[in-house]
């Protein structure tokens, strides 16, 4: 147990050293609505008071894996409320970031949780956060795994992710997608299961503190029932 704790501490330190932001650190935070803990960015509010060049560097170096984004929080909350949708299944958390969605699925009883992200630091963060919550995840290395359910949130803003996501959504019959309706995909017919109002943590500058997130599935998916 001591070795396991020290390994987590070593990885947290590794993530902390990768932060390229002034006065930035990581702090462990419990999320009541998602029933899990994450290591999230902690930054002095004065650090965002920069000139234009400094602000540009700030956003360029932003560690997206150190945030609990609104879409990820909404999908994690949805899984907490509907654990039967993931229990016993092999799931893929696409664009995992902090790992919040995959961790929520694991805590809800998913048989196997795979996570994928373009950023190696996100994969490390997902592993650290999974360990903190006492669950196991598997990093996708190479070909996409065969899964029962695809999970994705806050990824359609990035066009580099949308190509892979489109291919996966067309290949995998069952999925849950959390996005704003303004960026919802138009290449499949969607069914909105629920709208959840949440926020991004931590909130910095112009980050929305009240975000309406829609939870979608495939319109004709018979395995995902209509929900109240």
């Amino acid at each position: 147990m001591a070795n396991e704790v020290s390994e987590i501490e070593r990885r947290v330190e590794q993530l902390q050293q990768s932060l390229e932001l002034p006065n930035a650190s990581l702090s462990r935070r419990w999320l009541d609505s998602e029933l899990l803990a994450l290591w999230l960015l902690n930054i002095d509010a004065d650090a965002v008071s920069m000139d234009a060049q400094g602000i540009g560097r700030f956003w360029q170096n932003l560690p997206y894996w150190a945030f609990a984004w609104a879409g990820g929080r909404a999908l994690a909350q949805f899984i907490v409320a509907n654990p039967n949708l993931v229990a016993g299944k092999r799931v893929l958390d696409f664009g995992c970031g902090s790992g919040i969605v995959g961790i929520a699925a694991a805590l809800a009883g998913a048989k196997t949780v795979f996570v994928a992200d373009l950023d190696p630091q996100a994969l490390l963060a997902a592993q650290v956060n999974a360990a903190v919550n006492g669950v196991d995840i598997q990093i996708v290395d190479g070909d996409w795994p065969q899964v029962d359910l695809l999970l994705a949130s806050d990824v359609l803003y990035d066009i580099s992710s949308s190509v892979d996501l489109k291919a996966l959504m067309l290949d995998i019959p069952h999925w849950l997608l959390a996005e704003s309706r303004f960026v919802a995909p138009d290449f499949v017919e969607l069914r909105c299961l629920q709208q959840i109002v949440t926020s991004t943590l931590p909130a910095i500058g112009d980050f929305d503190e009240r975000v309406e997130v829609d939870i979608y599935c495939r319109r004709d998916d018979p395995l995902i029932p209509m929900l109240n």
Side-chain angles (χ1 to χ4, degrees):
M1 182 66 175
N3 289 339
E4 183 178 345
V5 171
S6 62
E7 177 62 16
I8 293 174
E9 291 175 344
R10 184 187 69 78
R11 292 185 172 190
V12 170
E13 179 62 26
Q14 183 179 341
L15 287 170
Q16 197 136 269
Q17 290 177 359
S18 73
L19 297 175
E20 299 181 24
L21 303 173
N23 306 313
S25 62
L26 295 173
S27 61
R28 182 172 165 177
R29 183 164 179 176
W30 175 258
L31 280 64
D32 286 330
S33 299
E34 295 80 11
L35 302 179
L36 53 80
L38 296 175
W39 283 92
L40 298 178
L41 184 68
N42 183 35
I43 190 166
D44 188 333
D46 293 337
V48 297
S49 299
M50 312 173 194
D51 58 22
Q53 189 175 16
I55 291 173
R57 288 194 302 270
F58 177 87
W59 289 107
Q60 186 176 10
N61 295 321
L62 195 68
Y64 291 94
W65 48 266
F67 289 81
W69 297 94
R73 292 192 67 196
L75 187 49
Q77 291 171 28
F78 184 79
I79 290 170
V80 168
N82 301 278
N84 58 298
L85 297 181
V86 301
K89 296 179 179 178
R90 291 162 55 89
V91 306
L92 168 61
D93 180 4
F94 176 85
C96 64
S98 67
I100 183 173
V101 173
I103 292 167
L107 290 170
K111 179 180 179 180
T112 309
V113 175
F114 296 95
V115 298
D117 200 286
L118 293 172
D119 186 351
Q121 294 301 100
L123 298 176
L124 177 59
Q127 289 177 309
V128 168
N129 288 325
V132 166
N133 289 280
V135 297
D136 294 321
I137 60 173
Q138 296 188 28
I139 303 299
V140 174
D141 183 14
D143 296 336
W144 294 112
Q146 293 294 315
V147 297
D148 306 305
L149 182 69
L150 170 67
L151 304 171
S153 61
D154 290 319
V155 290
L156 289 174
Y157 72 92
D158 183 355
I159 194 168
S160 65
S161 298
S162 62
V163 175
D164 282 336
L165 181 61
K166 178 178 180 179
L168 288 168
M169 289 177 69
L170 294 176
D171 183 57
I172 300 172
H174 312 294
W175 38 261
L176 294 171
L177 174 69
E179 291 286 356
S180 161
R181 67 184 55 185
F182 301 109
V183 294
D186 58 4
F187 53 83
V188 288
E189 291 192 57
L190 303 172
R191 172 156 52 103
C192 183
L193 296 167
Q194 187 177 348
Q195 184 177 88
I196 296 176
V197 177
T198 184
S199 62
T200 292
L201 296 174
I204 296 180
D206 61 355
F207 280 12
D208 289 336
E209 296 185 2
R210 185 183 187 279
V211 183
E212 295 179 352
V213 180
D214 290 329
I215 310 296
Y216 296 104
C217 70
R218 190 186 300 276
R219 182 177 180 85
D220 58 355
D221 189 339
L223 296 185
I224 301 181
M226 298 296 293
L227 303 171
N228 294 328

